[in-house]
Amino acid sequence: MAKVKSLADLKKMKDNLQSKMDLREKSDAPNSMVQVKVGMATCGIASGAKEVMNFFIEESAKRGISAVVTQTGCMGYCYAEPTIEVIIPGKDPIVFGDVDVKRADEIIEKYIKNGELVDGIIPVNYNTID
Amino acid sequence: MEKYKMHILICGGTGCRASASELIQSNLENALKAKGLEDEVQVVTTGCFGFCEKGPIVKILPDNTFYVEVKPEDVDEIIEEHIIKGRQVMRLLYTDPDKKETVSDSKHMDFYKKQIRIALRNCGFINPENIDEYIARDGYSALGKCFEMTQQAVIDIVKASGLRGRGGGGFPTGLKWEFASKNDADQKYVVCNADEGDPGAFMDRSILEGDPHSVLEAMAICAYTMGADIGVIYIRAEYPLAIERLKVAIKQAREYGLLGKDILGSGFNFDVEMRYGAGAFVCGEETALIHSMEGLRGEPTVKPPFPAESGYNGKPTNVNNVETFANIPVIINKGAEWFSSIGTEKSKGTKVFALAGKINNVGLIEVPMGTTLREVIYEIGGGIKDGKKFKAVQTGGPSGGCLTEKHLDTPIDFDNLLAAGSMMGSGGMIVMDEDNCMVSMAKFYLEFTVEESCGKCTPCRVGNKRLHEMLDKITEGKGTLQDLDLLRNLSGVIKDTSLCGLGQTSPNPVLSTLDNFYDEYLAHVVDHKCPSGQCKALMQYIIDPELCVGCTLCARNCPVDCIAGERKEAHIIDVEKCIKCGACMDKCKFNAISIQ
Ligand SMILES: Cc1cc2nc3c(=O)[nH]c(=O)nc-3n(C[C@H](O)[C@H](O)[C@H](O)COP(=O)(O)O)c2cc1C
Ligand code: SF4
Ligand code: SF4
Ligand code: SF4
Ligand code: FES
Ligand code: FES
């Protein structure tokens, strides 16, 4: 192992290592992050939820958005899979249906970044999924 | 490079290890490999989550799902259901004892809501055997920052933070460091006290197991301020896992050059060695500890001289507790002002407590100073087991006292606990309910001190033995009113005349129970009754003639044949012969037998 020779060295090392801990740090403060929950029940996976989830994880990192991406079970909207729920801190959760990579891109750019609504919102009759 | 989508944290603390957490870990790794998920899901072994009683703990991120009492055979279901399908395994979730509902994740557990984790910041979060994870969380940067400051500037930060020693005494840490820095010598030492002898305490062990680097870094910082180049960790040999983790941590820190010569190019040299204690309580006292390190008998000596003047090998030595050290790097990084904004006027920051006894959530917690006992017991601790009534809580271990109902809303800090007749101690907190006899409780602690007294001075060696004998007599129903006065008198003498902290505090459990539960002592000596029914000698098994139907079952089961009575007539117990085994009461189907 290489020696750490100065505080600057240590800082550089920290910056490189930090990304590995990123997921843990974010999970620890979920309420201050954008939370994206991807429905990953049987029908969700069948209709490409996994791809959508990967897209959210990679793109939010690339586009500098602090987001926690989790998977959840059946959301009850088989007709509109893949479904995702997005919670922006301080706002009510919103569920989007029929999300493919293209729509995911739109959700990030419009809703998550600017708070604009996009099509395909499924009305929900609860406030949070606590 | 792999980009993990999920992390599975599994507790590798002593508690969870004891219930097969290692096997769970390897099962998880194998199952993930079998499904081809090893690049998507990272398995991390961490230190203690504090929820040891419900261990082994498995926590899944990013959703913070908190699984309790996980068994190796549950692994397939976790992978299949949770990891692949995103459905929580309901039966493994924690059930709130009050509301009888399962709790989806750690963020919604009452146990964690009121906690602030400073000393435990990395426990249950990083892999303690991987220095990279410590560095990723700012590890060793505090040390680097200190090198850019003068020694005095660092001491001033510690002073301004208001940090007080967590080993029991509560002495201001910055002041202690200043003394040690001002004493010039060719050689100085930093010692970490990891002897942790209080019965039921495991705060220090958990920190060392879960975050060993925080202690190493803090020792280096302390060494820098006082000009020491050798650090010694005195740890009890009964802590094999903590010792192992420390060894790994020291090795990794040396490989990175964070221990050794010219650390971070500062020209400062420092290295750490370990010494093993045989587990005597008195060796936790700093002068005894130093003698034990020197290969002498672990007996305390009179202070002054204080270790800061003449300690290990007669050289200036700074002794601090594990938890005290664990706070240091954060104080340097976040500043004295941040630290001193937490806590009460004279007790800053947080304190780690080991919650034990008749409480629902037994475990390790860290709360801001000034949290009330009520919050700790009822909110974090989930209340008293089996819906019983709270009676008292013992803080400060064998040196402390009990606090009662009337103290429930007292903010916990060094001074308030002293004023209430107890003390902070190292952080043991044993909760008692209506079934606990306070005389027996005092007797239990005296038994401990008699066993652990080093025998050097008479008041402690003989006095505590006499205290114990008197308590024993009272629990046997043979005590008198005069004994109660004697107890109080002798306690005062022992406190005033003992040489070290052990003797000076050992009568505290007696005095505080006399103060708070005098009625209970009276019941024992005047009525010869134990109100909580714990003192066996004072119990009597009685058959209620109204309820007894004369089935003879009890008589046939009594091992000493002391139950008499004709078939279909009320039976009667010969209380003189009865050995109080309780067999009759267990057998009676008519609830006719009771204890009085
Ligand atoms: C009988 C006795 C036992 C002690 N045991 C411990 C112990 O196990 N761990 C500890 O850190 N301090 C223990 N202490 C306190 C130490 O003497 C010393 O005050 C402490 O290590 C100083 O560190 P601190 O200022 O960081 O608290 C004990 C004191 C007495 C009198
Ligand atoms: S007070 Fe007790 S433990 Fe302390 S030196 Fe005296 S005999 Fe030993
Ligand atoms: S308690 Fe035991 S010894 Fe006493 S009467 Fe019952 S069975 Fe017999
Ligand atoms: S078992 Fe109960 S009911 Fe039967 S004889 Fe004994 S006391 Fe009476
Ligand atoms: S299985 Fe897809 S929403 Fe129910
Ligand atoms: S040892 Fe696992 S939670 Fe404490």
Side-chain angles (χ1 to χ4, degrees):
Chain A
M1 253 184 266
K3 298 242 183 225
V4 195
K5 292 203 182 68
S6 65
L7 184 55
D9 255 15
L10 185 74
K11 286 217 173 96
K12 216 180 295 151
M13 205 168 154
K14 185 204 146 170
D15 292 341
N16 289 336
L17 292 165
Q18 213 167 10
S19 67
K20 293 196 179 176
M21 298 292 283
D22 214 33
L23 184 130
R24 265 181 260 172
E25 302 286 356
K26 284 181 185 168
S27 324
D28 207 38
N31 294 330
S32 57
M33 310 272 168
V34 178
Q35 296 179 58
V36 180
K37 300 184 185 181
V38 183
M40 289 271 257
T42 318
C43 70
I45 296 174
S47 49
K50 222 176 159 127
E51 210 190 330
V52 171
M53 181 167 175
N54 287 346
F55 182 81
F56 270 109
I57 292 175
E58 279 154 25
E59 289 305 310
S60 56
K62 271 191 213 151
R63 303 184 196 181
I65 297 162
S66 274
V68 206
V69 185
T70 57
Q71 52 183 341
T72 135
C74 169
M75 302 222 275
Y77 309 111
C78 294
Y79 62 93
E81 286 294 344
T83 37
I84 66 160
E85 186 185 70
V86 180
I87 308 174
I88 293 184
K91 291 195 188 173
D92 284 342
I94 290 195
V95 176
F96 297 91
D98 296 316
V99 181
D100 54 15
V101 169
K102 208 171 122 245
R103 281 177 58 75
D105 178 68
E106 202 182 4
I107 290 169
I108 295 180
E109 287 305 317
K110 288 201 175 142
Y111 182 61
I112 298 183
K113 280 196 176 165
N114 299 321
E116 289 165 39
L117 294 181
V118 285
D119 286 347
I121 294 174
I122 300 177
V124 268
N125 50 5
Y126 55 69
N127 282 327
T128 54
I129 45 174
D130 254 2
Chain B
M1 194 185 75
E2 73 291 299
K3 176 88 183 164
Y4 295 116
K5 282 205 244 359
M6 291 179 125
H7 290 193
I8 305 182
L9 307 186
I10 163 147
C11 177
T14 291
C16 291
R17 280 269 166 124
S19 32
S21 74
E22 274 172 295
L23 186 58
I24 298 175
Q25 180 202 337
S26 57
N27 282 3
L28 278 169
E29 278 162 359
N30 292 336
L32 286 171
K33 224 171 257 156
K35 299 273 177 198
L37 292 171
E38 72 267 33
D39 291 336
E40 292 184 35
V41 183
Q42 185 186 22
V43 179
V44 188
T45 301
T46 70
C48 176
F49 286 89
F51 216 60
C52 322
E53 197 185 50
K54 294 260 186 290
I57 305 293
V58 172
K59 186 171 170 181
I60 302 197
L61 302 182
D63 43 296
N64 287 312
T65 302
F66 198 84
Y67 289 133
V68 298
E69 293 175 338
V70 178
K71 293 191 193 60
E73 55 273 24
D74 296 330
V75 163
D76 285 340
E77 195 176 340
I78 294 178
I79 302 283
E80 203 56 58
E81 283 295 300
H82 191 143
I83 304 298
I84 297 181
K85 299 195 187 125
R87 285 197 289 245
Q88 290 184 320
V89 183
M90 298 302 279
R91 64 179 180 86
L92 295 175
L93 290 174
Y94 167 68
T95 307
D96 186 294
D98 245 4
K99 304 180 198 117
K100 313 266 179 270
E101 285 168 7
T102 55
V103 188
S104 61
D105 59 85
S106 61
K107 296 286 165 197
H108 289 92
M109 283 166 70
D110 288 337
F111 183 74
Y112 288 110
K113 275 186 193 160
K114 291 231 157 162
Q115 295 201 45
I116 295 189
R117 302 190 142 218
I118 298 176
L120 299 177
R121 64 194 176 279
N122 287 326
C123 291
F125 199 91
I126 63 167
N127 176 355
E129 300 194 9
N130 183 350
I131 189 172
D132 286 351
E133 294 202 351
Y134 182 69
I135 291 175
R137 294 206 96 198
D138 270 338
Y140 290 101
S141 66
L143 178 62
K145 270 190 201 156
C146 288
F147 291 148
E148 295 179 345
M149 292 186 252
T150 64
Q151 281 85 342
Q152 188 60 43
V154 178
I155 292 174
D156 287 342
I157 293 178
V158 179
K159 271 166 86 177
S161 74
L163 176 67
R164 294 169 66 174
R166 303 296 195 238
F171 191 82
T173 306
L175 214 55
K176 197 187 249 188
W177 288 17
E178 191 161 52
F179 291 143
S181 77
K182 293 220 162 116
N183 288 313
D184 285 328
D186 53 344
Q187 176 71 59
K188 295 184 182 182
Y189 299 97
V190 172
V191 172
C192 172
N193 188 344
D195 193 53
E196 196 165 52
D198 277 14
F202 58 102
M203 297 75 59
D204 297 346
R205 188 191 75 202
S206 301
I207 292 173
L208 291 172
E209 285 176 4
D211 193 16
H213 286 288
S214 68
V215 173
L216 297 181
E217 182 180 1
M219 287 176 76
I221 291 173
C222 172
Y224 170 71
T225 65
M226 65 185 281
D229 60 359
I230 297 178
V232 187
I233 302 175
Y234 186 92
I235 181 166
R236 50 177 51 219
E238 290 120 274
Y239 281 179
L241 187 60
I243 291 172
E244 187 50 41
R245 297 250 162 94
L246 271 171
K247 280 188 182 160
V248 172
I250 291 172
K251 182 168 167 276
Q252 292 180 351
R254 281 184 190 146
E255 281 167 358
Y256 274 180
L258 294 165
L259 285 178
K261 299 250 178 280
D262 190 23
I263 299 172
L264 293 175
S266 63
F268 171 73
N269 309 326
F270 180 69
D271 211 338
V272 173
E273 25 184 285
M274 303 219 276
R275 286 302 148 72
Y276 307 112
F281 180 57
V282 75
C283 284
E285 195 281 335
E286 53 190 11
T287 59
L289 180 142
I290 287 168
H291 298 310
S292 166
M293 277 169 41
E294 292 166 343
L296 303 172
R297 275 173 68 158
E299 281 180 357
T301 43
V302 185
K303 292 187 277 193
F306 287 94
E309 306 153 50
S310 169
Y312 183 45
N313 295 331
K315 304 291 181 189
T317 303
N318 181 78
V319 185
N320 275 126
N321 165 264
V322 172
E323 187 186 330
T324 314
F325 277 130
N327 279 293
I328 297 286
V330 199
I331 292 177
I332 302 292
N333 276 330
K334 294 200 180 177
E337 214 161 294
W338 166 80
F339 189 78
S340 62
S341 71
I342 303 166
T344 62
E345 197 194 334
K346 290 190 176 147
S347 304
K348 299 303 185 187
T350 56
K351 179 76 194 84
V352 182
F353 290 102
L355 266 185
K358 307 277 184 66
I359 189 155
N360 276 317
N361 300 336
V362 166
L364 197 73
I365 63 163
E366 180 169 356
V367 287
M369 297 274 189
T371 306
T372 65
L373 275 179
R374 191 185 298 283
E375 291 170 299
V376 168
I377 294 170
Y378 288 96
E379 294 179 38
I380 299 171
I384 309 299
K385 266 198 181 129
D386 303 323
K388 298 243 173 165
K389 207 170 158 290
F390 166 79
K391 184 167 186 181
V393 53
Q394 174 84 11
T395 63
S399 311
C402 62
L403 301 165
T404 65
E405 191 88 45
K406 66 172 189 275
H407 302 117
L408 278 178
D409 293 306
T410 309
I412 303 169
D413 70 6
F414 286 105
D415 310 282
N416 284 341
L417 288 189
L418 270 182
S422 183
M423 62 186 273
M424 180 77 79
S426 56
M429 222 183 236
I430 300 179
V431 179
M432 281 160 280
D433 69 5
E434 49 194 307
D435 296 337
N436 287 104
C437 163
M438 301 313 284
V439 185
S440 305
M441 201 273 303
K443 189 174 101 173
F444 164 80
Y445 281 110
L446 259 294
E447 225 164 77
F448 180 82
T449 9
V450 168
E451 185 80 9
E452 296 292 337
S453 164
C454 80
K456 182 168 175 168
C457 58
T458 320
C460 169
R461 183 184 67 240
V462 183
N464 282 320
K465 199 151 174 51
R466 292 292 164 271
L467 280 184
H468 181 256
E469 283 165 5
M470 271 189 267
L471 291 169
D472 198 44
K473 195 172 137 194
I474 296 171
T475 57
E476 291 282 328
K478 297 177 188 140
T480 61
L481 274 174
Q482 201 201 351
D483 287 332
L484 301 190
D485 292 335
L486 267 175
L487 273 180
R488 203 179 271 284
N489 270 333
L490 182 54
S491 293
V493 173
I494 297 172
K495 275 176 80 101
D496 289 343
T497 55
S498 289
L499 170 69
C500 84
L502 192 150
Q504 285 158 9
T505 57
S506 59
N508 285 351
V510 181
L511 289 171
S512 82
T513 46
L514 276 171
D515 284 343
N516 290 303
F517 295 97
Y518 196 68
D519 286 353
E520 218 169 304
Y521 278 88
L522 279 183
H524 282 78
V525 299
V526 178
D527 309 330
H528 303 284
K529 288 227 156 66
C530 174
S532 51
Q534 200 188 337
C535 297
K536 261 198 159 185
L538 297 178
M539 303 191 309
Q540 279 189 0
Y541 283 84
I542 311 256
I543 298 177
D544 182 345
E546 300 286 312
L547 292 174
C548 173
V549 300
C551 73
T552 75
L553 195 59
C554 59
R556 280 182 281 138
N557 281 287
C558 173
V560 293
D561 279 332
C562 71
I563 307 181
E566 295 297 319
R567 215 163 221 296
K568 301 205 172 148
E569 278 172 28
H571 281 48
I572 185 157
I573 295 174
D574 180 346
V575 291
E576 294 297 311
K577 276 202 211 148
C578 168
I579 55 164
K580 295 157 190 170
C581 69
C584 54
M585 196 160 106
D586 290 344
K587 289 287 172 191
C588 179
K589 295 190 178 75
F590 304 91
N591 282 329
I593 306 181
S594 60
I595 305 174
Q596 277 183 354

